[in-house]
Amino acid sequence: AASIYCKLGKTEKALEIYGPSYIQKNMDKPNVLTSYAYFWSGQDKNLESALEAAKKSVELSPTASTWSALSQVCQKMKKFEEALKAAEKALELAPERSKEFYKKRIEQIKKAMEEKEKKNP
């Protein structure tokens, strides 16, 4: 439902059903936290709450997926150093079949860091 509301431009409605109050009730469920972080980083909205969820998911279950979610949220927030560290940790923990995905993510973050440096030397 939150996805539909976002597509309709009704972010406030989405937040009512799948926002900070929802996630506070699920702070002990790493899979829920990770999905939440991915969802909101994909929307490029509610990033502070997504960051909180991603950090908690890593704390509860430090897997490639949780580190990747944290990386994605940090990247959207332009916290590139944190995004890079999280992506590197995801790569380290990833199964062999997924490593290429994480290597590409790391390259994307490094490219974004370089572009930011060119704009703000």
Side-chain angles (χ1 to χ4, degrees), residues 48-89:
E48 286 298 329
S49 181
L51 180 62
E52 178 185 5
K55 285 182 176 181
K56 186 66 176 178
S57 70
V58 165
E59 179 185 315
L60 294 171
S61 179
T63 65
S65 179
T66 58
W67 280 104
S68 179
L70 178 59
S71 174
Q72 185 170 310
V73 173
C74 289
Q75 186 175 1
K76 290 286 182 152
M77 296 177 84
K78 300 194 181 343
K79 295 181 177 190
F80 297 121
E81 292 291 333
E82 291 175 52
L84 182 59
K85 287 178 187 173
E88 288 170 342
K89 190 66 176 172

Side-chain angles (χ1 to χ4, degrees), residues 6 30 42 51 77 96 98:
C6 286
L51 180 62
M77 296 177 84
E96 198 59 43
S98 302

Side-chain angles (χ1 to χ4, degrees), residues 15-112:
L15 286 166
E16 285 176 22
I17 57 172
Y18 196 52
S21 61
Y22 170 85
I23 209 61
Q24 288 305 317
K25 298 173 194 165
N26 292 284
M27 289 300 270
D28 60 338
K29 298 175 182 139
N31 291 344
V32 173
L33 296 168
T34 301
S35 294
Y36 180 88
Y38 274 128
F39 175 80
W40 286 110
S41 65
Q43 299 297 321
D44 209 5
K45 296 184 180 353
N46 191 33
L47 294 175
E48 286 298 329
S49 181
L51 180 62
E52 178 185 5
K55 285 182 176 181
K56 186 66 176 178
S57 70
V58 165
E59 179 185 315
L60 294 171
S61 179
T63 65
S65 179
T66 58
W67 280 104
S68 179
L70 178 59
S71 174
Q72 185 170 310
V73 173
C74 289
Q75 186 175 1
K76 290 286 182 152
M77 296 177 84
K78 300 194 181 343
K79 295 181 177 190
F80 297 121
E81 292 291 333
E82 291 175 52
L84 182 59
K85 287 178 187 173
E88 288 170 342
K89 190 66 176 172
L91 174 62
E92 178 184 316
L93 296 170
E96 198 59 43
R97 69 182 183 280
S98 302
K99 289 198 183 284
E100 199 56 42
F101 169 81
Y102 295 108
K103 288 176 184 176
K104 287 179 183 174
R105 161 73 58 72
I106 289 169
E107 290 307 312
Q108 290 172 343
I109 295 167
K110 287 180 177 179
K111 185 176 179 183

